[in-house]
């Protein structure tokens, strides 16, 4: 990203544009432009296309962007969301199928990879875990980002990978949940119905206070930008937070489940 940012900055300056002037032309704030140029933010395709027009259509940005977008170990449909994760000031995740990637241990992830179809080879598994481990650095390296996770109780009761893997997973989740910027809530089995039964959802807010959502299925993901759709998902997530166990009760439940292993 730093190389792309340096190219963008050089083209902008060659065109005689300040960051604010360039931002006005492409529809982004000067702060966003600065973040991209300094390699702190994954550029949006819209910024790339408008940036080309603003800097004389040299083709340099268009040619370099696909290489930037290819991130080993991340599914193609997930890369745009992964780029936004790096910048988010808040990130909310509800998951009912598996422990989210940001919270997985290597052993738990390996158990998931081993069961995938079509089967993965050793190199693919190693690549995917490396990408996942890199994403997980966000939890500790962005202390000013607010993270909230709502996890179904049955994800731990399934014992994916066996008892030892589950015990390690619970210990890891409890450790991460103790960080000041991270909240982990458990949706108990005793809730026969709740606002998230339509499927997993992720919500985030950028430093520019733009909100996005992401829903993932079997063979792809849906990146949501429509404010009306995001509003619906935000209301559902807010309801889920009230339906899930409190932070303290979630910790207590996890500790009891670990003790029962």
């Amino acid at each position: 990203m730093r190389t792309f940012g340096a190219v963008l900055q050089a083209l902008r300056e060659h065109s005689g544009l300040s960051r604010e002037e360039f931002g006005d032309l492409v529809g982004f704030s000067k702060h966003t432009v600065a973040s991209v140029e300094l390699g702190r933010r994954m550029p949006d395709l819209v910024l790339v296309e408008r940036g080309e027009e603003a800097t004389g259509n040299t083709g340099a940005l268009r040619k370099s962007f696909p290489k930037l977008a290819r991130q080993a170990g991340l599914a193609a449909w997930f890369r745009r969301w992964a780029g936004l994760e790096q910048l988010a000031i808040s990130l909310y995740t509800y998951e009912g199928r598996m422990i989210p990637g940001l919270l997985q241990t290597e052993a738990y992830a390996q158990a998931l990879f081993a069961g995938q179809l079509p089967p993965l080879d050793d190199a693919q598994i190693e690549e995917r875990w490396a990408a996942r481990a890199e994403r997980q650095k966000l939890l500790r390296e962005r202390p000013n980002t607010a993270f909230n996770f709502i996890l179904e109780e049955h994800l731990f009761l399934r014992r994916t990978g066996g008892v030892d893997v589950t015990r390690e997973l619970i210990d890891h989740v409890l450790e991460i949940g103790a960080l000041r910027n991270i909240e982990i809530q458990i949706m108990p089995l005793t809730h026969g119905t709740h606002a998230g039964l339509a499927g997993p959802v992720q919500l985030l807010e950028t430093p520019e206070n733009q909100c996005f959502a992401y829903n993932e299925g079997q063979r792809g993901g849906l990146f949501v930008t429509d404010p009306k759709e995001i509003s619906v998902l935000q209301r559902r997530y807010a309801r889920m937070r009230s339906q899930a166990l409190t932070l303290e009760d979630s910790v207590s439940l996890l500790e009891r489940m670990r003790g029962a292993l």
Side-chain angles (χ1 to χ4, degrees):
M1 287 197 293
R2 291 179 181 175
T3 300
F4 180 91
V7 171
L8 175 60
Q9 182 174 352
L11 288 171
R12 174 182 61 76
E13 292 176 348
H14 182 73
S15 301
L17 298 169
S18 68
R19 282 175 175 164
E20 186 170 6
E21 290 169 335
F22 179 80
D24 289 339
L25 289 173
V26 299
F28 289 84
S29 72
K30 65 179 181 180
H31 305 293
T32 298
V33 174
S35 292
V36 173
E37 290 184 349
L38 295 173
R40 295 197 300 255
R41 172 174 182 146
M42 180 79 171
D44 190 282
L45 180 59
V46 174
L47 187 149
V48 173
E49 290 297 329
R50 293 176 181 173
E52 276 286 358
E53 296 176 6
T55 56
N57 285 305
T58 65
L61 298 179
R62 288 195 186 98
K63 289 178 181 177
S64 58
F65 181 69
K67 296 178 182 178
L68 180 66
R70 287 197 294 269
Q71 294 172 272
L74 294 180
W77 65 77
F78 185 71
R79 290 169 189 160
R80 186 179 181 188
W81 183 261
L84 286 173
E85 279 184 338
Q86 303 288 326
L87 312 162
I89 60 173
S90 66
L91 179 62
Y92 298 160
T93 301
Y94 162 69
E95 184 57 80
R97 306 163 305 167
M98 66 191 77
I99 300 297
L102 287 175
L103 295 177
Q104 292 175 10
T105 61
E106 183 173 4
Y108 180 88
Q110 293 282 356
L112 296 178
F113 295 148
Q116 285 202 9
L117 289 173
L120 302 174
D121 60 35
D122 290 344
Q124 289 173 313
I125 290 176
E126 182 178 347
E127 188 176 72
R128 294 191 181 195
W129 170 248
R132 199 157 295 179
E134 182 66 25
R135 284 180 57 225
Q136 290 181 356
K137 292 179 181 179
L138 291 173
L139 300 177
R140 298 184 186 276
E141 293 180 354
R142 296 190 62 83
N144 298 121
T145 296
F147 295 90
N148 178 272
F149 298 90
I150 299 176
L151 312 176
E152 293 284 355
E153 179 182 355
H154 69 76
L155 297 180
F156 300 94
L157 297 175
R158 182 174 289 140
R159 299 185 179 182
T160 299
V163 171
D164 290 341
V165 171
T166 302
R167 186 181 294 114
E168 179 192 30
L169 175 68
I170 293 176
D171 287 342
H172 177 69
V173 169
L174 287 170
E175 177 187 353
I176 294 298
L179 298 175
R180 286 192 301 273
N181 61 321
I182 297 175
E183 297 178 334
I184 296 177
Q185 295 179 259
I186 304 300
M187 186 67 74
L189 287 172
T190 52
H191 274 334
T193 183
H194 62 76
L197 293 181
V201 62
Q202 297 187 61
L203 298 160
L204 66 72
E205 183 180 359
T206 71
E208 294 76 35
N209 304 117
Q210 292 179 298
C211 295
F212 299 96
Y214 177 76
N215 303 326
E216 190 165 275
Q218 285 274 343
R219 296 288 293 161
L222 176 64
F223 188 89
V224 184
T225 60
D226 184 344
K228 293 182 179 179
E229 291 298 320
I230 293 171
S231 175
V232 172
L233 295 174
Q234 287 174 329
R235 280 178 281 157
R236 290 181 182 178
Y237 198 92
R239 177 67 61 82
M240 278 190 284
R241 292 184 75 173
S242 69
Q243 293 171 322
L245 297 179
T246 65
L247 301 179
E248 293 78 10
D249 288 345
S250 295
V251 168
S252 179
L253 177 58
L254 286 171
E255 290 175 340
R256 292 198 304 273
M257 284 194 287
R258 191 198 185 286
L261 292 174

